[in-house]
Amino acid sequence: MAGKGSGHFLRRFCTITSNASAQKWSVAQVFKSNFAESLEGLKAHVSGSDFIAVWLRRTGSSSAAWHRVSSFDTLETAYSKAKHAAEKFQVLQFAVCPFEVRASKVVAHPYNFHLFPRDELEIKRPSYSFMCQSSHLASMVDEGFDFNACIYDGISYLSREQECLAKVWKGIPVCGKYPEKSSSSPSVADAVFLERIRSRIKQWKNSFEDSSTRNDEPLVRSMRKLILGSEEYGSRPSMTIDVCSQNQVQHALEVLAEFSEDLVPLTVPAKGAGAWAVRVILTSSKEDKNLLEQELQNLEHEQTKAFRGFREVIELISAAQKPIVSLNSLNDFTSIYPMFLAPLPSDVDEFLRSLRLVFPQVFDVNHLMKEIAPLGKTTSIATALSFLNNQFFAPVDVEVSPVTGSEGKHHGLNVVRICHLFAKLCSILRSAPESSQSDSSHQAGTLERFANIYRPWPSADPLDESISIWRNDTRRANCRDVVFLWGFEKGLSSKMLKSQLQGSHKVFSENFDVRLVDKSCAIVIFWQPGLSGNLLSIMNSSDLSGPLLDLVSEGLKAAGYETYMKLCRLGLFDADLADAFDHNFADDNGYSEDHSTRKNYDVHSNSESMIYLEEL
Amino acid sequence: MNHRCPVRALSRALSRALATAATSQAPTPSTFPLKNVTKSNFEPALESLREHVRAADYVAIDLEMTGVTSAPWRESFEFDRYDVRYLKVKDSAEKFAVVQFGVCPFRWDHQELRFIAHPHNFYIFPRQELSFDDPAAYDFLCQTASVDFLAKYQFDFNMCIREGISYLSRERENELLRRLEESSRFRHKHKEFRDVPLIRMADVLFSERIKSRMKEWHEKLLHDRNCELQFNESTNDSKQQLQTTFYRTRPALALSGFTPHQLRLIRQVTRNHFEDIVYVCVNVQKSCVQPLLVYTDCNTDKDLLLKEVEDENRRGEELKIHSAVGFRHVIDLLSSEQKLIVGHNCFLDVAHIYRKFFGQLPFAAEEFVSSANKHLPYIIDTKVLLNSSDILKYWMRKSKTSLSSAFARLCPEIALGYVSTDLASKACVKVEVQVDDVRASSWNAGAKHEAGYDAFMTGCVFAQTCSHLGIKFHPRSSSEILARDEMLEKYVNRLFLSWNNLDIINLSTGRVTGNSVGSTYCKNQYSKILFENIVLIWGFPHKLRAREIKECISKVFGLTSVTSVYALDKTTVFVQFKEAQLVSDFLVLKETLERNDDPISVLNPLWSLLEGGNTCAADYETYKEICSSPVSKAYFSDQARAVGIKWKTRLLNSKVPGQEGIRKQGASNLSLENAADSVLDKTNMKSNKSASDDMNRRRFSCGEILDSLCAHEVERVRTY
């Protein structure tokens, strides 16, 4: 922040040396055919790097105006929108660039992975179908992107969850993990199940411990085996428990946790149809148990290596625990999450919580940019770079380590520009990660306050629940003072609408503003608190009069911010926002519903807007 | 076509490859490339195609799409009623894009007694050509498996995206023209301008400078009408920002190099200070807008000018819309020429053609059929034809009715370039293919699966089949067309309703019939499916398989109560009962068991189906409702949730029809309670007398029941 003031004085038309060399930069282009060797190279570069920049390219972005994250979105609605887009579109390019920062020099090692969600195992994964935006594809092809190469030779992948599914499909047993004991009391059926499993295991286990049976005749032994359902796993005795749902698997494991000293559980998918069983293996000692567990893990790892595909790269990045640099972290990580872990959760807190476990530190370049210049033109990496060059003196040299066989290939070059931009921003923010090997972690520490911020627009106060209305306006409004209006004449500009509203009723006599969300819907911001509630109740009351009555009788409707949040949360993304409001709340008697939820909303809205990962 | 069923298509390709290999010594067919049409050669290709189509007896078509089904459960199933099948086809045509369109006109040459075929392979792509159109209308879905299939045959995606011909449906075109009209009306209505306040010094100075420059120009115009050249020179120094030209015989100043803000200021100055100068924007060339200051003699001239400018701009926009029609010209041609269209298993193709080039697909199959018939009056499906006669079927023997195998078997001469000694192929119809100036009587366009080549194969198969059916080819007078041939007439407009089912829909009447026309041999005679006897169950424990579900329902309703159980996907099954009454009995019982959720309910055999608490059930109509939703989730249970179903059981009496019903909660019906109890009693009597039954009567506490159960069941291995 200190850099902000002095930076202006240092304004200079600094020479863009690094841009001149941009022509020479080349990016390793990775396809299925050269994936294995590239992965080895990447592994080495990741371990020697300070940061890892990522850049993703999808098959499109939302074409409807209101589906895009806007300045008036809270973290919650922004997440819903990003989730919607990430689920629709497919990532085709995934550029990864481990880089080191030395003084004012950046050494980058960019790799551009071409992905195609090919169904390699015939399990209809990772993606049954995906959406394409035709204008987006057309512009990619204009830039020279080779769709043929991407589709013919792109790398496929499976998320962790899909891998589990694939194992089920292919009948590969998985080491069971003991679940945490559920606090809620089990249902009647579950209680029956739990009790039965418990007594069965006891009996079975006892039969081995009971020395009196050791000397039995073979016939007796095999009879006992038959009765107890005992089998053998390798040289160790084992038993299979049939289960009929994931829930019961959990219950079985819960019971088995009580015998965890010498039993190793293994969940086995019955071949083909995906019916589960839990196999229990009895070990003779603690060492024997560790040995078995190691054995099982190695076996599993070998068997599933081929399943993971590109996920190896994400696993690698995650395992390195290096800070990640991204241009738009919410967009990128809503795409990465389902490729890496599992389908996106509906709740943003849960998303951030589990994301934090695998990517502890993520820097959003857009966010850093806004820290420096809240109103600066930062629409693209190029404009952001030239803006910084004009406003600040922060020379950064970028060196791209050449990768063999990538000469003249520039797809995914943006990832290098992100490294460049990030290094520049860091040096401006006076928290330059000038790391000598020893204290790199310490230096990165000063940056930490900017890490893991996924909310769409920055604000001075992290606990602020406000939204900003315009991208280039620092004024902030409370969500509660915002009303969505639709059903006005088509094609009206915000100015025209404002002049129509002005004087139509006394609520509009105070200072208010209008912004169009899309061509069908606008938001009204009351700068004086309480008026939004007035408007909503007026719209619903019978004693409407004057010009506002005319507008309402022509179809004008209104809803509060909670209704908008509900639309986003439920994923009801019609093309026009007005249609979304109309379709989904037509039978809800809109306004009164707004009022009933209004109260609850106030209670939790304090933490709703700005959530730092650190606080979780 | 082929990617509709990748496996089948693959086998087709294999069979072709095998067939080629087997006859390696025989004369190989000519290989020359297809005629590929992209946006760069579209105009001339369209002109030549026009002539070929006019002269043709029939036109064979084939489409390549980016996918077929948007979710696994949207695939075609045996338990789909014809209206559901249509909804699935509709969903497919709405979501996926057509990337290649093969058109192949066939003309009978009476002198040489052979057909002349002109295959065209159009690359098409839903590119947005009009900036003012809604971009969401150009989004499309890709099915990973289909795209991968296309890739296997080296489909050129780059060519398609970069060079593909765009198109606009008739409905979209009309909509855009209407919107244009609307927006011009809107401009009239909101004509008043508000002045930009001149706050910044730069604005004030700029306005003053422009004002004086305009004044200068204005005075010179009035005093000396021949001063233009002179004036031109004087403005040259200011970067040519103002240049005198003429607009429709009126002197004018062309403005260039100004920012939008400056233009707004110029406009304001003109409005406030010059009565006889008008600021207008005119369209020049394709997409450039040129702002002009035009001098007018009087107020009437001013009005006239404004009208002229507006009309011209309107015409410019309209022209842009017309030029965006693109590939639809080909479809318009086929439609206006009323030629017989030949496709192979082409109901989905017809739906695509309708959706992409005419307009939105209606919700009812009957409605679709009647309006499709208006646009394309004669369509014939070679697959229907191949299945129609016993002779053909015998002759095809075991080979599949897929396009390439039919082609290889029926037209070996064309496919492989040799004359077979096969008895049946004696009556082979000769086809000569012509691509630009190259002609050949046998042709292999390379290993690729291209729409143009597939259309050619379809046409050849059709010609051969006709000859087997005894249809004579002869030059036809203009009033006489092949489609009206009395032999052929009974096959025209009969299409298979979906890509793997034998229900045939008649495009002329809208009627759906069970199986082939004119054939006595039916291989698929299933017992009739009674849709009112069907219950749809989803969200049950995923260990359960169809057989187990059947068992557990039979335990309650009797051994013969369930006719069949069919899995839609792993989350959902159809259960067909013996009689319709059992459907409502089942739903009522399920609802009651869940509502009670006590130890007694748990002991009911049906409980294993309800375990987990997510099991939902409804009648067949709900399935149709869910199919009609534009949403597509991977699993049916997720789909049901996404569509907005919040209830767990829809009892028949509380049925709410239409889309509305889905969003509303299915209110449980109080009047049904008594019925529910009686059903429960009945089932308890029916179910096997067990220890638990006795306890039921003695009203043991829950805990007691549990204890005794555990004691009883310790030695049992399986749960339930």
Side-chain angles (χ1 to χ4, degrees):
Chain A
M1 282 305 183
K4 212 186 212 172
S6 58
H8 286 287
F9 295 105
L10 289 171
R11 178 177 171 145
R12 223 197 238 206
F13 298 101
C14 80
T15 50
I16 315 164
T17 47
S18 39
N19 274 16
S21 65
Q23 308 308 321
K24 287 182 286 178
W25 292 352
S26 64
V27 181
Q29 305 295 321
V30 188
F31 294 91
K32 194 177 158 188
S33 45
N34 62 345
F35 179 60
E37 66 252 38
S38 303
L39 190 63
E40 287 311 308
L42 181 68
K43 221 173 254 176
H45 286 140
V46 163
S47 66
S49 67
D50 301 323
F51 299 92
I52 301 164
V54 294
W55 176 78
L56 275 64
R57 181 111 194 218
R58 299 197 284 221
T59 52
S61 55
S62 298
S63 44
W66 82 277
H67 295 179
R68 288 190 285 265
V69 175
S70 173
S71 61
F72 59 80
D73 277 311
T74 61
L75 176 64
E76 198 181 327
T77 58
Y79 171 71
S80 300
K81 289 176 172 187
K83 173 173 180 275
H84 180 65
E87 283 167 351
K88 254 168 84 172
F89 299 107
Q90 173 65 38
V91 176
L92 290 185
Q93 277 188 86
F94 197 123
V96 177
C97 183
F99 65 103
E100 298 123 60
V101 183
R102 304 273 175 275
S104 64
K105 190 172 170 194
V106 170
V107 183
H109 313 276
Y111 292 79
N112 186 34
F113 294 88
H114 293 250
L115 310 184
F116 184 72
R118 200 176 305 101
D119 182 5
E120 307 269 17
L121 300 170
E122 298 186 351
I123 55 166
K124 293 178 177 167
R125 299 291 185 291
S127 156
Y128 186 83
S129 63
F130 54 88
M131 196 66 131
C132 294
Q133 191 183 21
S134 85
S135 60
H136 196 80
L137 299 192
S139 68
M140 279 172 90
V141 111
D142 285 343
E143 288 166 25
F145 183 79
D146 188 346
F147 280 93
N148 290 349
C150 181
I151 296 168
Y152 300 171
D153 196 22
I155 310 153
S156 191
Y157 55 87
L158 286 182
S159 72
R160 285 181 180 175
E161 197 196 80
Q162 287 166 342
E163 186 185 309
C164 290
L165 208 122
K167 282 178 196 161
V168 173
W169 222 271
K170 300 285 167 193
I172 296 173
V174 189
C175 284
K177 291 190 180 61
Y178 298 119
E180 286 166 37
K181 199 137 188 146
S182 60
S183 51
S184 61
S185 56
S187 70
V188 176
D190 287 341
V192 174
F193 179 80
L194 281 171
E195 214 31 66
R196 186 186 306 134
I197 297 291
R198 188 169 289 125
S199 69
R200 240 192 97 196
I201 291 172
K202 261 186 203 148
Q203 282 212 341
W204 173 71
K205 220 180 130 212
N206 286 340
S207 75
F208 290 96
E209 279 158 15
D210 188 357
S211 55
S212 67
T213 60
R214 289 255 166 90
N215 307 321
D216 276 346
E217 282 173 38
L219 179 68
V220 177
R221 243 183 295 173
S222 59
M223 284 294 281
R224 179 176 294 110
K225 243 186 192 177
L226 212 63
I227 291 163
L228 293 168
S230 190
E231 298 152 4
E232 265 168 21
Y233 185 89
S235 56
R236 299 173 183 96
S238 81
M239 181 184 74
T240 304
I241 307 165
D242 280 334
V243 286
C244 67
S245 67
Q246 184 58 39
N247 195 24
Q248 291 198 337
V249 172
Q250 293 305 310
H251 285 310
L253 291 173
E254 211 172 285
V255 175
L256 286 170
E258 298 163 17
F259 308 94
S260 62
E261 288 145 38
D262 43 10
L263 288 187
V264 176
L266 201 60
T267 52
V268 188
K271 266 186 188 138
W276 291 66
V278 175
R279 174 174 276 185
V280 197
I281 305 164
L282 186 67
T283 55
S284 53
S285 64
K286 201 156 174 76
E287 293 78 54
D288 187 36
K289 188 181 171 233
N290 289 342
L291 196 70
L292 176 65
E293 276 174 342
Q294 194 57 48
E295 244 172 63
L296 287 171
Q297 224 158 45
N298 290 347
L299 186 72
E300 194 186 319
H301 192 79
E302 265 326 293
Q303 280 175 315
T304 56
K305 197 166 185 184
F307 293 6
R308 288 187 287 271
F310 176 72
R311 204 187 83 226
E312 291 275 11
V313 173
I314 313 180
E315 293 277 4
L316 176 65
I317 299 171
S318 168
Q321 299 275 305
K322 303 265 159 114
I324 313 287
V325 178
S326 141
L327 188 62
N328 182 337
S329 53
L330 187 63
N331 264 353
D332 288 352
F333 281 90
T334 45
S335 275
I336 293 171
Y337 191 100
M339 291 167 70
F340 183 41
L341 298 171
L344 287 165
S346 54
D347 179 37
V348 63
D349 296 342
E350 197 189 327
F351 165 73
L352 294 177
R353 211 177 300 125
S354 34
L355 190 62
R356 175 112 208 246
L357 293 175
V358 284
F359 297 109
Q361 217 176 34
V362 174
F363 292 100
D364 185 313
V365 172
N366 264 333
H367 181 84
L368 292 177
M369 192 68 200
K370 281 184 201 119
E371 288 288 341
I372 291 175
L375 305 180
K377 283 198 171 133
T378 53
T379 45
S380 71
I381 305 177
T383 53
L385 270 175
S386 74
F387 173 84
L388 291 184
N389 280 335
N390 291 340
Q391 301 281 321
F392 301 95
F393 177 67
V396 169
D397 240 355
V398 178
E399 182 189 310
V400 172
S401 76
V403 181
T404 47
S406 61
E407 289 75 26
K409 302 281 175 57
H410 56 269
H411 294 300
L413 200 58
N414 270 347
V415 80
V416 182
R417 298 197 184 101
I418 290 171
C419 301
H420 186 190
L421 189 56
F422 177 73
K424 235 177 179 27
L425 286 165
C426 287
S427 87
I428 293 165
L429 287 166
R430 287 283 162 88
S431 43
E434 297 174 1
S435 55
S436 60
Q437 299 288 45
S438 59
D439 64 357
S440 66
S441 59
H442 166 73
Q443 285 292 345
T446 56
L447 263 179
E448 240 159 48
R449 64 197 169 109
F450 300 116
N452 303 335
I453 301 170
Y454 293 89
R455 62 199 152 92
W457 307 92
S459 93
D461 176 9
L463 288 175
D464 188 2
E465 60 171 345
S466 65
I467 52 172
S468 66
I469 307 302
W470 292 276
R471 159 196 290 273
N472 54 2
D473 190 338
T474 45
R475 277 189 302 175
R476 301 187 69 79
N478 194 300
C479 304
R480 279 168 296 182
D481 296 325
V482 168
V483 174
F484 286 79
L485 285 183
W486 70 97
F488 47 82
E489 197 185 346
K490 261 189 188 166
L492 279 186
S493 71
S494 56
K495 259 185 198 158
M496 291 169 178
L497 183 60
K498 189 177 174 181
S499 67
Q500 278 191 3
L501 293 174
Q502 238 154 8
S504 68
H505 192 274
K506 65 175 186 300
V507 287
F508 291 113
S509 55
E510 296 291 334
N511 189 14
F512 74 98
D513 274 306
V514 175
R515 180 200 155 156
L516 286 183
V517 179
D518 63 11
K519 61 184 187 304
S520 69
C521 186
I523 44 180
V524 174
I525 309 96
F526 291 98
W527 296 107
Q528 192 172 319
L531 287 177
S532 65
N534 283 356
L535 175 62
L536 288 174
S537 53
I538 290 164
M539 293 283 284
N540 204 28
S541 70
S542 51
D543 53 309
L544 258 178
S545 60
L548 189 58
L549 177 64
D550 296 340
L551 287 173
V552 170
S553 58
E554 279 164 27
L556 190 73
K557 289 179 205 161
Y561 201 86
E562 320 73 59
T563 316
Y564 170 70
M565 290 180 83
K566 198 167 151 193
L567 278 184
C568 293
R569 189 169 57 245
L570 297 176
L572 302 171
F573 289 103
D574 293 52
D576 284 347
L577 182 51
D579 289 345
F581 277 127
D582 271 338
H583 286 170
N584 298 299
F585 298 100
D587 47 348
D588 265 11
N589 202 356
Y591 312 122
S592 54
E593 187 258 357
D594 286 348
H595 279 273
S596 59
T597 57
R598 177 157 289 259
K599 227 176 167 186
N600 317 336
Y601 168 59
D602 273 2
V603 177
H604 69 76
S605 62
N606 272 337
S607 58
E608 148 272 313
S609 170
M610 306 301 163
I611 293 169
Y612 280 90
L613 279 176
E614 280 84 346
E615 287 157 10
L616 293 169
Chain B
M1 43 111 269
N2 31 48
H3 56 267
R4 221 162 281 156
C5 175
V7 180
R8 195 198 309 152
L10 194 68
S11 71
R12 194 205 299 176
L14 275 174
S15 70
R16 201 201 298 171
L18 284 176
T20 321
T23 59
S24 53
Q25 310 95 319
T28 48
S30 327
T31 52
F32 48 88
L34 265 170
K35 185 177 176 65
N36 283 326
V37 187
T38 60
K39 66 180 179 188
S40 56
N41 63 341
F42 179 59
E43 294 290 329
L46 178 64
E47 282 321 302
S48 70
L49 183 68
R50 234 178 252 286
E51 284 160 33
H52 294 315
V53 168
R54 277 194 193 118
D57 291 276
Y58 63 93
V59 182
I61 56 157
D62 188 78
L63 275 65
E64 297 282 345
M65 307 87 152
T66 57
V68 183
T69 50
S70 55
W73 60 269
R74 291 237 194 226
E75 282 156 23
S76 177
F77 295 105
E78 205 182 301
F79 268 60
D80 291 344
R81 201 166 54 197
Y82 80 95
D83 49 351
V84 171
R85 286 185 198 283
Y86 168 71
L87 286 174
K88 288 183 171 179
V89 168
K90 172 174 178 284
D91 174 76
S92 176
E94 279 166 351
K95 291 204 170 98
F96 295 102
V98 175
V99 284
Q100 226 178 36
F101 202 116
V103 179
C104 186
F106 281 74
R107 176 177 61 85
W108 178 251
D109 187 329
H110 195 56
Q111 260 90 47
E112 300 198 35
L113 295 176
R114 60 179 56 181
F115 274 107
I116 313 289
H118 300 271
H120 288 70
N121 192 39
F122 291 92
Y123 278 91
I124 64 176
F125 184 70
R127 190 182 304 100
Q128 183 183 348
E129 301 282 0
L130 301 165
S131 54
F132 46 87
D133 200 355
D134 175 15
Y138 296 87
D139 290 354
F140 61 91
L141 202 63
C142 288
Q143 191 180 348
T144 313
S146 300
V147 173
D148 197 31
F149 174 84
L150 288 172
K152 280 206 183 84
Y153 290 95
Q154 268 83 48
F155 181 86
D156 192 340
F157 296 97
N158 291 337
M159 171 89 99
C160 176
I161 299 168
R162 193 188 302 120
E163 290 282 312
I165 307 152
S166 54
Y167 53 83
L168 206 59
S169 73
R170 287 187 187 173
E171 193 178 272
R172 195 93 204 138
E173 185 187 5
N174 292 335
E175 161 74 17
L176 286 171
L177 291 171
R178 194 185 56 76
R179 243 199 264 166
L180 199 65
E181 179 91 12
E182 212 170 59
S183 73
S184 79
R185 253 207 317 259
F186 183 83
R187 270 202 297 275
H188 276 284
K189 213 164 143 192
H190 298 272
K191 230 173 180 175
E192 77 282 4
F193 303 96
R194 208 176 318 154
D195 282 357
V196 189
L198 297 177
I199 302 165
R200 278 162 46 191
M201 205 52 191
D203 290 353
V204 177
L205 291 175
F206 179 80
S207 297
E208 281 308 312
R209 191 163 60 89
I210 284 293
K211 197 158 96 187
S212 71
R213 293 277 289 284
M214 283 172 70
K215 211 172 242 163
E216 195 185 332
W217 181 70
H218 187 243
E219 273 163 17
K220 277 187 181 159
L221 269 183
L222 290 183
H223 295 142
D224 177 11
R225 292 235 158 206
N226 299 321
C227 72
E228 287 84 20
L229 280 174
Q230 196 188 333
F231 185 78
N232 240 348
E233 281 159 31
S234 73
T235 53
N236 275 351
D237 55 307
S238 61
K239 296 180 219 146
Q240 299 252 326
Q241 284 190 323
L242 299 167
Q243 198 165 27
T244 304
T245 59
F246 281 92
Y247 181 75
R248 307 214 161 199
T249 73
R250 301 178 189 88
L253 273 179
L255 309 171
S256 56
F258 291 103
T259 65
H261 180 68
Q262 287 173 328
L263 287 174
R264 211 174 303 135
L265 292 173
I266 295 175
R267 192 172 197 177
Q268 191 169 320
V269 168
T270 321
R271 202 167 53 237
N272 294 342
H273 300 282
F274 300 92
E275 280 236 313
D276 45 7
I277 296 179
V278 189
Y279 177 96
V280 291
C281 285
V282 294
N283 277 327
V284 285
Q285 284 154 4
K286 274 214 159 166
S287 55
C288 271
V289 174
Q290 171 68 59
L292 286 176
L293 293 171
V294 186
Y295 174 79
T296 53
D297 288 328
C298 56
N299 268 345
T300 40
D301 188 37
K302 192 170 165 180
D303 291 344
L304 188 70
L305 170 75
L306 284 174
K307 199 170 166 356
E308 276 175 13
V309 169
E310 203 190 303
D311 288 350
E312 193 180 295
N313 287 351
R314 256 290 273 298
R315 264 197 304 281
E317 301 279 278
E318 279 173 10
L319 214 66
K320 264 191 240 167
I321 293 173
H322 289 311
S323 67
V325 165
F327 181 75
R328 203 192 79 213
H329 285 301
V330 174
I331 304 301
D332 285 344
L333 173 68
L334 295 180
S335 170
S336 65
E337 289 295 324
Q338 307 232 323
K339 290 290 173 189
L340 175 65
I341 307 289
V342 179
H344 189 79
N345 206 3
C346 63
F347 188 66
L348 181 62
D349 293 353
V350 175
H352 266 289
I353 292 173
Y354 190 93
R355 177 67 187 82
K356 303 291 185 296
F357 308 111
F358 298 112
Q360 296 288 340
L361 289 164
F363 273 96
E366 294 82 1
E367 222 179 301
F368 162 67
V369 156
S370 73
S371 44
N373 193 231
K374 265 177 224 143
H375 296 301
L376 300 170
Y378 309 107
I379 301 173
I380 214 156
D381 191 329
T382 47
K383 189 158 180 178
V384 172
L385 219 53
L386 286 174
N387 278 301
S388 65
S389 98
D390 293 338
I391 308 158
L392 273 174
K393 269 191 178 165
Y394 167 75
W395 193 69
M396 291 286 294
R397 275 168 232 142
K398 288 221 173 83
S399 73
K400 305 231 172 67
T401 49
S402 75
L403 180 57
S404 64
S405 60
F407 180 62
R409 193 159 261 284
L410 287 172
C411 322
E413 212 176 312
I414 310 164
L416 310 167
Y418 76 99
V419 184
S420 152
T421 51
D422 199 323
L423 196 75
S425 65
K426 284 239 168 95
C428 216
V429 179
K430 285 198 170 64
V431 177
E432 196 164 84
V433 62
Q434 183 174 0
V435 173
D436 293 322
D437 295 326
V438 192
R439 274 198 181 209
S441 58
S442 82
W443 180 44
N444 183 354
K448 295 179 183 179
H449 267 250
E450 307 272 4
Y453 191 72
D454 284 1
F456 169 73
M457 292 199 293
T458 306
C460 292
V461 169
F462 174 70
Q464 201 57 50
T465 323
C466 280
S467 118
H468 282 295
L469 291 172
I471 294 160
K472 295 275 173 293
F473 302 111
H474 50 85
R476 286 155 203 281
S477 63
S478 56
S479 64
E480 197 186 9
I481 53 171
L482 185 60
R484 298 241 178 82
D485 187 292
E486 56 180 24
M487 295 287 289
L488 203 57
E489 208 168 16
K490 62 179 174 184
Y491 303 111
V492 171
N493 291 339
R494 260 72 161 187
L495 264 54
F496 284 121
L497 193 47
S498 61
W499 46 92
N500 61 359
N501 175 266
L502 293 176
D503 277 351
I504 289 174
I505 190 159
N506 186 331
L507 292 185
S508 322
T509 62
R511 262 212 313 266
V512 178
T513 48
N515 205 330
S516 321
V517 208
S519 169
T520 51
Y521 165 73
C522 286
K523 58 179 176 184
N524 288 323
Q525 276 294 7
Y526 293 104
S527 57
K528 195 154 171 55
I529 294 163
L530 297 165
F531 296 99
E532 66 272 21
N533 291 6
I534 288 178
V535 169
L536 185 64
I537 309 171
W538 68 92
F540 46 81
H542 68 155
K543 170 173 175 141
L544 289 182
R545 286 186 232 162
R547 189 167 36 82
E548 288 154 324
I549 291 173
K550 184 173 178 175
E551 271 167 22
C552 97
I553 298 176
S554 307
K555 268 187 206 156
V556 182
F557 293 97
L559 271 176
T560 56
S561 58
V562 178
T563 321
S564 53
V565 177
Y566 189 90
L568 178 65
D569 65 13
K570 70 172 190 183
T571 67
T572 310
V573 290
F574 292 106
V575 175
Q576 182 174 243
F577 286 100
K578 198 172 60 188
E579 48 198 297
Q581 180 55 37
L582 287 170
V583 171
S584 62
D585 287 355
F586 172 83
L587 293 173
V588 168
L589 174 61
K590 173 180 179 290
E591 206 269 337
T592 316
L593 287 177
E594 283 173 333
R595 184 153 35 83
N596 294 345
D597 190 21
D598 53 13
I600 295 151
S601 302
V602 174
L603 295 177
N604 193 298
L606 204 57
W607 190 256
S608 60
L609 185 63
L610 309 181
E611 235 178 303
N614 297 319
T615 309
C616 302
D619 62 330
Y620 197 84
E621 292 307 315
T622 310
Y623 177 51
K624 186 183 169 187
E625 271 173 45
I626 293 172
C627 281
S628 72
S629 155
V631 186
S632 269
K633 297 281 177 194
Y635 289 114
F636 189 83
S637 55
D638 297 336
Q639 170 81 6
R641 208 175 305 124
V643 163
I645 288 178
K646 292 167 191 126
W647 40 261
K648 280 166 70 177
T649 309
R650 178 185 273 181
L651 302 179
L652 291 181
N653 299 32
S654 63
K655 192 160 65 191
V656 191
Q659 195 72 22
E660 293 271 311
I662 288 181
R663 302 224 158 159
K664 276 181 192 154
Q665 300 246 349
S668 60
N669 214 326
L670 274 176
S671 66
L672 281 164
E673 290 233 331
N674 294 334
D677 289 342
S678 72
V679 171
L680 192 63
D681 284 347
K682 245 194 283 174
T683 55
N684 275 345
M685 307 262 262
K686 270 187 198 166
S687 59
N688 299 344
K689 253 199 169 152
S690 64
S692 56
D693 225 327
D694 292 329
M695 278 165 234
N696 180 2
R697 277 182 219 133
R698 280 183 233 147
R699 301 194 175 186
F700 270 30
S701 73
C702 174
E704 281 170 307
I705 293 176
L706 271 181
D707 289 346
S708 57
L709 248 183
C710 293
H712 274 285
E713 299 220 339
V714 160
E715 75 275 22
R716 274 184 61 185
V717 177
R718 292 195 168 258
T719 52
Y720 302 120

